[in-house]
Structure formats: structure tokens, C-alpha cells
Amino acid sequence: MVQLNLPQNSKITEGKTWQRPSGARHVTAFRVYRWNPEDGANPRMDTYFVDRDDCAPMILDALIWIKNKIDPTLTFRRSCREGVCGSCAMNIDGTNTLACTKGMDEIKDTIKIYPLPHQPVVKDLVPDLTNFYAQYASIEPWLKTTSPTPEKEWKQSHEDRKKLDDHYECILCACCSTSCPSYWWNPDRFLGPAALLQANRWISDSRDEATGERLDNLEDPFRLYRCHTIMNCTKACPKGLNPSKSIAEIKKRMVERQV
């Protein structure tokens, strides 16, 4: 029988329960993952109570309220607060999403928050996305041409431009890749939904002249074909994109160039 052991200090323990705000009539409970690499302790789940009458409606608003009013040591990423930058991606109520676009009213009872799954944790709700960004860089996300540069711009028909829809909107929040079981088990070799969606964006661009080179770069049992069309990526994408479809389109191009 196979025996699996968790890494040392990885078991989540019960953390601190903070005092309810005095006089608050409309309160929402939050259970938040906490881990500090400097104290050598196990990760824990702290419980906070947010005064909804003193806080804006989004999950990110609540985290900021907690940090400002209760616990300044709580650590998380944020920037635009408009669903554009992808900084505040985390696992909320069991689903990878953006804290700035997820409303507290969308969740019943206690709200549970964890960092994006199956990634090394820097601290609290901050995942280490070094590998994720390196994989994005590996697909060379820029226009590659051999033709002389035009005087003004590379022209493109409306039909060809439309092929880039549902690709360019990706904000690299990593919600899709970190929801993919194939990426969990092979993060060092499988590029993951986000990087492959971006790869298809450049493969589909009529102005790009390195389609063959890009396909050669993906022709690998793991980099592309480890996708098993589980569709978690499409379900998790906070921008409503379909990485699974993009991956299927790349596989189709692989077949077409062999025929």
C-alpha cells in the first residue's frame, strides 16, 4: 500500500478568532489562511468578523477592512480593484476567482479564503507565481516577423482581428492554471491553460510569421498534450474565457500541418 506523508509543518491548524466589532449589527465571518515562513509554525485558519455596515461589498474590500481595522499583518496582493490586473486572484469559497469582483453577498454563511492552490506560498494569501510567469515567457508573447517593418503599422482585416477575441482579454491571474489537475501534477513540464491560451493568441494572429516555429515549440508530450479537457480552467476564468477551446485549436493545427 502506498503511504503518503505531508511535508513537515504543512498541516493546517486552528488559528486565532478575533473579537467581533463592538456595536456591529450586520456581521460576516471570514476564515482566512495564514502562514508566515519566518515563524516556523504550521499554516492556520484565522477567523475575523467584518462589519458590513462599515465595509464596501466585495471580498477584497473585506480583506482591506480586516487589514486596516483588525490585523495589519494579513498579507495579500491587490492593485486595480477593477478586475483588470489579476493581482487579487485567490481561492474563495472553493473557487479560484478575483477578490475584487466577488461580492460577499454571493456566498452564504462563513467566507473561506485560501491562496491559489498547488502553488508555493510566499506568505498568507500570496502565491509564488515565478514558474507561471516563466512559462508565459516561454511561448514568446510578442509579434515575430521576417517581412520589412511597414512605415505605419501591420494591417489586419476585421475578420482576422476577430480571431484574437477571447484571447487578448486574459489578465494572467492564474485562476485557470491553478484549477487544472494536470497542471497540479506536472507544473514543471505542462504549460497550463493560461500560457497555452496566450500561445494560441499569437498562433492565430495573421500578422505573425512564426506559426511553424511556435507549433514546433509546443510539440511535446507534456507542454501541450498533458491537457485532458477537464474544463476546470474554463469554469474558473473570471473573464469568461475558454482556455480549453484554445488548447483544442492548437491540437487541431498540429494535426492539420501533418496531413
Side-chain angles (χ1 to χ4, degrees), residues 9-184:
N9 295 336
S10 65
K11 185 177 179 180
I12 301 177
T13 62
E14 187 62 34
K16 180 176 180 179
T17 298
W18 296 78
Q19 187 176 1
R20 288 174 174 265
S22 59
R25 294 178 298 176
H26 187 194
V27 174
T28 295
F30 277 74
R31 302 252 310 153
V32 182
Y33 179 95
R34 304 297 309 279
W35 181 70
N36 186 347
E38 297 178 357
D39 62 18
N42 281 34
R44 66 184 192 273
M45 295 297 290
D46 281 4
T47 302
Y48 303 92
F49 298 95
V50 175
D51 182 356
R52 294 290 298 275
D53 295 325
D54 187 43
C55 180
M58 299 301 179
I59 299 291
L60 181 59
D61 295 319
L63 291 174
I64 295 172
W65 190 92
I66 292 170
K67 188 175 180 68
N68 290 340
K69 305 270 187 172
I70 302 176
D71 184 3
T73 67
L74 178 61
T75 305
F76 52 90
R77 289 193 181 111
R78 68 178 180 90
S79 185
C80 74
R81 301 177 69 173
E82 297 290 343
V84 175
C85 71
S87 299
C88 65
M90 54 191 72
N91 186 278
I92 302 172
D93 196 39
T95 301
N96 294 349
T97 189
L98 302 178
C100 66
T101 60
K102 185 76 171 180
M104 284 185 270
D105 287 337
E106 297 178 48
I107 302 172
K108 296 181 179 179
D109 303 322
T110 300
I111 298 174
K112 299 177 182 179
I113 305 179
Y114 296 85
L116 291 175
H118 290 265
Q119 298 297 297
V121 176
V122 178
K123 185 180 180 183
D124 293 346
L125 300 176
V126 179
D128 185 349
L129 298 179
T130 301
N131 182 61
F132 175 80
Y133 291 126
Q135 290 172 322
Y136 172 60
S138 75
I139 60 102
E140 300 183 333
W142 56 80
L143 199 64
K144 300 174 71 173
T145 62
T146 56
S147 300
T149 303
E151 294 183 3
K152 293 186 177 180
E153 70 272 337
W154 295 98
K155 293 185 178 181
Q156 192 172 46
S157 68
H158 292 290
E159 292 74 17
D160 286 337
R161 167 59 186 80
K162 193 173 182 179
K163 295 177 183 177
L164 306 185
D165 288 347
D166 298 327
H167 291 83
Y168 75 89
E169 300 95 332
C170 174
I171 57 176
L172 294 174
C173 64
C175 284
C176 62
S177 291
T178 55
S179 69
C180 172
S182 294
Y183 191 74
W184 296 346

